[in-house]
Amino acid sequence: MKSKKLLVLLLSLTFFAGFLTACGSEDASTDQNSDDGQADGSTDTADGVFYEGETIEFLVPFGAGGGTDTFARFMAPYFSDFVEGNPDVQVVNVPGGGSINGANEFVELREHNGLNVLVTSASTHAPYLLGEEAVRFDLKEMIPVAGLPTGGVVYTSPSTGIESPEDLLNPQEDLVYAGISATGLDLVTLLSFEVLGLDVQAVLGYDGRGPSRVAFEQGESNIDYQTSSAFLTNVTPLVESGDAIPMYSFGQLNAEGDIVRDPAFPDLPSIKEVYVELHGEEPSGPAWEAYKTFVGASFTVQKVFWLHSDAPSDAVDALKQASEEMAQDSEFKEKGGEVLGGYDLYVGEEVDQVVNGMLNVDPEVVDWVKEFLKDNYGVERLD
Amino acid sequence: MLEAAIEALVMILDPQRLPFMFLGIAMGLIVGILPGLSGTVGMSILLPFVYGMDPYTGMALLIGMAAVLHTGDTFPSVLLGIPGSSGSQATIMDGYPLAKSGNAARALGAAFFSSLVGGIIGGITLFLAIPVAKPLVLAFGSPELFMLAVLGLSMVGVLAAKNARHGLLAGLLGLMLGTIGGAPAVSEYRYTFDWIYLFNGIPLAVVALGLFAFPEMVDLLAQNRKISSKTKLEGSWKDGIVDAIRNKWLMFRSAVTGSLIGFVPGLGGSVVDWISYGLAKQTVKNSDSFGKGDIRGVIAPESANNAKEGGALIPTLLFSIPGSGTTAILLGGLTLMGLQAGPKMVTTDLPITLSIIWTLVLANIFGAIACILLSKPIAKFSLISAKKLVPFLLVLLLVGAYQSTRHIGDMFLFVGIGLLGWIMKRLDWPRAPLLIGFVLAPAAERYLWISMSRYGFSWLTNTGVVIIGIIIILILSSGTIIKKLNKDKKNNEMSSIS
């Protein structure tokens, strides 16, 4: 009978579907077991080398193709090369719940055996700091292995009549900002307006930073920000054609808890300098403290690789050492161009420092931010 | 530009790159044929392999996959009455009845040929759009985007013409389902019942499969029959191609509509097939046979859903605004290959953009040929009895649904929405309006919210808004007008005879 043949065909199709599922969820990013990454001439034998013959899983709490996913996939082969024992590295996407899902899963379901690594971004840090109800992970209970900063630049449209930061307080038309959500990265921008004392109407609900930039180009908004790499790619042409004027960078939080110029934009004043220019004194007060906290958590520490705090110390040492070597590698830096956005990796003591700074938050600041969100943007969920 | 285009073609045809395009095509066809797996799945599978490839090769792989997905997904839509991906539901409306009456091969032939033509037109649209893309994208502000969402929603009225009340209710239910999860503007979660699975809303694949595939499975089993009522397959794919050529104007029109809708960022390509189907139903003569196995009901959506890909790449490549899940992953792929979507894609990186267009065109041609060759053996699926077929399909469907988020919630909701779909099918309620409402709910809400908070009521008098409003009214009334004209004509003929 012919139907028998078809039955076989069906069976094989079903199996293929099963195979796809397996592939889809655990994309083998690398399969390299080459020798070129052998760190310090150590032998290939199994004793003492923690990751020999093992597979590390990078859990990315976002869907494939996003910024964090791209970053993790870019890093995977380098970890495979530089970690002693040359483990395979796989990227696993667990999207959902604005990355809370995946981070919860990392803590609750993944074995704390040093083979599981969580990759977080600002979207994971903010709900943790704000104490979202769904958060069941504690970043203080994890060990940062490596991190990456990014920055942001605020720019205005010539239609506002603003030509330099000193005009910010006296625009010729009402300032309108197109944003995504008050509790996301936009929080930093909104806090920066609050710090500077700008009167800006925030229209929220856009589908992403791309659409909000298009809204700026259309004239639907006239003050906007983009993160460093997006600014360089998509806003620089606007600046050159005279359709956008850069105002200030968000700056970076240094080890002393102070805002300094963004190394990616050395010629652009940071928000702190603009404040001094506008108000003649150093910024202070709860809004400034809140701003610094969230710049730290959203930009200065934009992405972090984490291990469980009770992961084997051999694993922690191996990954930390590998990332330190990686950060020095010239090929890594060269190929990292777009992905790294012109910043250096945080490794070693530095990553501990910046992460500590990010997590060491005054509860009063958090309460102030919750009030700020409630009063200005109707966010009542966080109470 | 022409010289650069030829150069890009040579790049694509490089014997070291060509195999990757064919690999992409094979992948796209398989993902399309397997019900429920969408372009997002295909992209996520291919993405890791792109790392380290040169951009021409990597893009050939990814675009080859995306281009033919909507060619391959016609198989399950026509043969089994279940959506092969979220872009091919409208094909079911007439393709499945055709298969039931033994005309599967003809429906497939017409569908593949329309896909081929649609895909090529989509590629050409992308090419032509390069110089004018910027003003075009900038012409759509939030108020215009809201009106386009309303245009999509107006298809609810068209598709439920016979039973307007039921259609409207189903559409409203879809809108409500679409509000589940995080609100677009205020960071509040709605109807999530503290279940974190629902924070991102219900996945589209789960709704589409539940609504259309699950009820079909239940009924097939209950009646234990074969899909085709006849024991022999009639007609061949050649008849289908002849049908498609006979309706060349419809095919062309649908392709243009498809690429235009695909091009509008933020609307999502998932309703292209429905809009194209609805437009066809409203504007062709003698549309009474739509839904009962009219070949034109296959041609319109199939031509449109392939053309959409070309359109959707315009905002993706030039503005780095992804129009769909597939293009969102494509953006990640670009970054992995050291490129950044943006204005540079039409200046310094123009060769890459041109190679993408060539890949679109070539992949559509090869994909359609492959499908036509495959159609004869695969069409025999409709001759298998339900008892043997359904268990396999259910496994495939559950895998497809589970691919959405890989959370157990996918399974629960698939069955839950499946039961809803089955009840609706039994009561003869139209299901397409529910799906359209569901897909367009976020866009409609988002852009209405932004328009109101940005402009108050003044956006209502924008030129673009008024134009789209008039188009909506024209579409809604055209069906009745055309019917009336036909009737008058008939009456005249009658009276002249008597």
Side-chain angles (χ1 to χ4, degrees):
Chain A
M1 272 289 283
K2 268 198 177 155
S3 63
K4 238 184 193 169
K5 252 193 201 165
L6 282 171
L7 217 77
V8 174
L9 190 69
L10 270 176
L11 255 178
S12 41
L13 268 177
T14 318
F15 277 123
F16 185 77
F19 162 76
L20 281 185
T21 335
C23 254
S25 57
E26 291 173 25
D27 306 327
S29 275
T30 57
D31 198 18
Q32 299 177 349
N33 262 323
S34 55
D35 296 15
D36 50 62
Q38 284 295 330
D40 43 25
S42 64
T43 50
D44 274 24
T45 45
D47 54 312
V49 179
F50 183 84
Y51 283 113
E52 179 85 54
E54 299 283 358
T55 300
I56 306 180
E57 278 196 7
F58 283 179
L59 194 156
V60 173
F62 300 91
T68 309
D69 179 65
T70 308
F71 176 54
R73 283 179 198 278
F74 169 77
M75 298 285 282
Y78 289 98
F79 269 106
S80 182
D81 276 357
F82 282 95
V83 172
E84 198 183 357
N86 299 116
D88 288 344
V89 180
Q90 297 188 338
V91 175
V92 184
N93 300 97
V94 185
S99 82
I100 298 176
N101 260 357
N104 283 344
E105 180 170 328
F106 177 73
V107 174
E108 294 183 343
L109 294 176
R110 299 290 158 145
E111 280 192 69
H112 299 200
N113 57 1
L115 298 179
N116 289 296
V117 173
L118 176 70
V119 191
T120 60
S121 91
S123 321
T124 329
H125 309 153
Y128 168 77
L129 291 179
L130 291 172
E132 290 259 14
E133 228 175 281
V135 169
R136 292 200 296 270
F137 57 88
D138 187 351
L139 294 177
K140 286 185 178 157
E141 294 292 306
M142 296 185 207
I143 301 173
V145 173
L148 183 75
T150 188
V153 174
V154 173
Y155 54 96
T156 54
S157 160
S159 69
T160 57
I162 298 173
E163 280 167 11
S164 68
E166 60 198 64
D167 304 329
L168 272 170
L169 291 177
N170 304 302
Q172 283 164 19
E173 61 180 23
D174 291 340
L175 294 179
V176 180
Y177 171 71
I180 304 163
S181 148
T183 51
L185 274 181
D186 287 316
L187 177 56
V188 172
T189 326
L190 299 174
L191 285 170
S192 85
F193 297 155
E194 177 79 13
V195 165
L196 292 175
L198 305 187
D199 187 14
V200 180
Q201 185 204 351
V203 178
L204 300 173
Y206 285 86
D207 207 9
R209 290 254 48 97
S212 70
R213 191 195 64 249
V214 170
F216 174 87
E217 292 186 51
Q218 283 165 342
E220 213 161 277
S221 74
N222 51 24
I223 183 165
D224 189 42
Y225 98 91
Q226 294 288 326
T227 56
S228 301
S229 58
F231 183 88
L232 291 172
T233 324
N234 286 310
V235 186
T236 311
L238 297 179
V239 174
E240 282 163 2
S241 65
D243 294 318
I245 305 166
M247 284 293 127
Y248 56 89
S249 77
F250 290 138
Q252 297 286 346
L253 196 65
N254 68 6
E256 286 79 46
D258 219 352
I259 294 288
V260 292
R261 274 198 185 195
D262 194 321
F265 301 96
D267 301 329
L268 203 62
S270 74
I271 179 175
K272 192 176 169 185
E273 296 165 62
V274 170
Y275 184 92
V276 173
E277 193 180 337
L278 288 177
H279 300 279
E281 54 173 3
E282 297 258 315
S284 61
W288 179 241
E289 293 305 316
Y291 174 80
K292 286 197 290 186
T293 301
F294 280 89
V295 163
S298 310
F299 288 97
T300 304
V301 191
Q302 231 252 337
K303 308 225 186 296
V304 184
F305 285 82
W306 307 84
L307 278 168
H308 296 106
S309 63
D310 49 353
S313 60
D314 285 350
V316 179
D317 294 342
L319 289 190
K320 284 208 154 197
Q321 198 193 343
S323 36
E324 280 181 51
E325 287 165 21
M326 196 189 310
Q328 298 303 320
D329 187 65
S330 54
E331 189 206 319
F332 172 78
K333 281 187 191 169
E334 184 196 331
K335 290 219 170 148
E338 294 285 0
V339 181
L340 302 177
Y343 295 91
D344 287 331
L345 279 189
Y346 292 128
V347 290
E349 277 178 24
E350 201 182 6
V351 66
D352 294 334
Q353 257 175 20
V354 290
V355 167
N356 262 337
M358 158 177 110
L359 296 178
N360 216 341
V361 174
D362 188 348
E364 275 179 33
V365 168
V366 174
D367 286 341
W368 185 90
V369 171
K370 285 181 184 171
E371 277 300 305
F372 171 77
L373 285 170
K374 194 171 149 187
D375 294 345
N376 295 285
Y377 302 98
V379 181
E380 300 187 358
R381 179 169 45 90
L382 298 167
D383 280 355
Chain B
M1 188 94 156
L2 213 61
E3 201 175 305
I6 291 165
E7 230 167 84
L9 179 65
V10 175
M11 290 290 251
I12 286 287
L13 295 178
D14 184 306
Q16 291 203 320
R17 297 204 176 93
L18 209 55
F20 285 96
M21 186 172 87
F22 284 111
L23 204 67
I25 294 176
M27 191 71 193
L29 290 181
I30 291 167
V31 170
I33 289 171
L34 293 174
L37 296 188
S38 64
T40 326
V41 177
M43 279 281 177
S44 356
I45 294 172
L46 291 179
L47 189 66
F49 299 103
V50 163
Y51 182 81
M53 283 185 185
D54 77 89
Y56 295 98
T57 317
M59 277 293 133
L61 182 70
L62 295 180
I63 300 286
M65 196 286 302
V68 300
L69 183 84
H70 295 302
T71 314
D73 67 7
T74 314
F75 279 118
S77 303
V78 169
L79 295 175
L80 310 169
I82 59 184
S85 78
S86 45
S88 66
Q89 292 126 356
T91 313
I92 299 174
M93 301 295 284
D94 282 287
Y96 188 49
L98 277 168
K100 274 184 180 166
S101 62
N103 286 312
R106 183 178 151 216
L108 288 174
F112 298 141
F113 190 71
S114 316
S115 293
L116 188 157
V117 174
I120 294 176
I121 292 179
I124 296 173
T125 311
L126 178 54
F127 181 74
L128 294 179
I130 288 176
V132 289
K134 190 168 175 160
L136 225 53
V137 168
L138 293 184
F140 289 96
S142 299
E144 288 80 17
L145 291 174
F146 169 70
M147 289 305 286
L148 283 170
V150 174
L151 173 70
L153 286 172
S154 71
M155 288 303 143
V156 166
V158 175
L159 292 165
K162 259 187 222 142
N163 208 333
R165 244 184 321 162
H166 290 171
L168 208 61
L169 276 176
L172 287 175
L173 186 64
L175 279 173
M176 276 178 65
L177 285 178
T179 61
I180 291 175
V186 185
S187 66
E188 294 291 342
Y189 293 99
R190 301 175 297 199
Y191 310 115
T192 52
F193 308 104
D194 285 328
W195 189 22
I196 199 166
Y197 168 72
L198 287 178
F199 275 28
N200 283 7
I202 307 174
L204 171 62
V206 173
V207 177
L209 289 177
L211 270 185
F212 289 99
F214 188 87
E216 207 50 52
M217 297 295 103
V218 175
D219 284 354
L220 270 180
L221 266 188
Q223 297 158 14
N224 190 24
R225 59 172 173 80
K226 298 164 191 170
I227 287 169
S228 171
S229 54
K230 312 223 170 111
T231 42
K232 262 194 156 177
L233 291 173
E234 288 164 20
S236 84
W237 52 270
K238 287 175 201 137
D239 302 333
I241 294 181
V242 172
D243 283 327
I245 294 173
R246 207 175 290 148
N247 291 293
K248 53 185 175 301
W249 172 231
L250 175 71
M251 190 162 65
F252 176 75
R253 196 158 49 112
S254 305
V256 173
T257 323
S259 43
L260 286 182
I261 297 172
F263 147 83
V264 177
L267 205 56
S270 317
V271 286
V272 164
D273 52 336
W274 285 116
I275 293 182
S276 161
Y277 182 85
L279 281 177
K281 191 180 171 187
Q282 281 299 78
T283 50
V284 299
K285 284 179 194 159
N286 310 322
S287 66
D288 288 342
S289 55
F290 266 63
K292 295 172 197 143
D294 190 317
I295 197 77
R296 293 172 299 180
V298 175
I299 294 170
E302 282 304 313
S303 171
N305 67 13
N306 278 58
K308 162 195 97 183
E309 294 301 326
L313 283 170
I314 300 169
T316 309
L317 294 176
L318 269 65
F319 288 82
S320 67
I321 314 173
S324 65
T326 318
T327 44
I329 301 179
L330 190 75
L331 279 181
L334 274 175
T335 317
L336 276 180
M337 291 183 284
L339 288 171
Q340 198 80 8
K344 265 202 295 185
M345 292 304 288
V346 287
T347 53
T348 39
D349 292 330
L350 183 67
I352 302 215
T353 309
L354 292 172
S355 83
I356 288 175
I357 296 172
W358 278 116
T359 310
L360 263 184
V361 171
L362 292 176
N364 267 299
I365 295 173
F366 289 122
I369 293 173
C371 280
I372 287 173
L373 294 179
L374 286 171
S375 68
K376 204 157 185 203
I378 294 188
K380 287 186 182 138
F381 273 104
S382 57
L383 297 177
I384 305 176
S385 77
K387 253 199 247 164
K388 284 177 189 149
L389 189 67
V390 171
F392 290 103
L393 286 177
L394 272 179
V395 172
L396 277 177
L397 289 173
L398 278 171
V399 168
Y402 187 60
Q403 272 296 331
S404 308
T405 64
R406 298 190 206 104
H407 187 288
I408 191 72
D410 288 334
M411 305 271 192
F412 290 135
L413 277 181
F414 171 68
V415 176
I417 292 173
L419 287 173
L420 172 72
W422 183 70
I423 294 170
M424 288 177 76
K425 189 178 178 217
R426 282 275 130 155
L427 298 179
D428 208 17
W429 280 47
R431 283 168 287 168
L434 195 158
L435 193 84
I436 294 176
F438 174 78
V439 171
L440 290 174
E445 185 190 356
R446 177 190 310 280
Y447 295 118
L448 179 61
W449 170 278
I450 293 176
S451 302
M452 291 303 293
S453 51
R454 173 68 178 88
Y455 302 107
F457 280 102
S458 66
W459 59 272
L460 282 168
T461 51
N462 282 13
T463 332
V465 171
V466 173
I467 292 174
I468 303 173
I470 292 172
I471 293 176
I472 294 173
I473 295 168
L474 281 179
I475 291 171
L476 285 180
S477 50
S478 63
T480 4
I481 295 169
I482 287 180
K483 255 184 212 142
K484 204 166 173 240
L485 283 178
N486 282 342
K487 229 184 221 164
D488 290 348
K489 218 174 170 188
K490 261 186 205 156
N491 286 345
N492 287 343
E493 281 164 13
M494 291 275 232
S495 51
S496 61
I497 289 168
S498 61

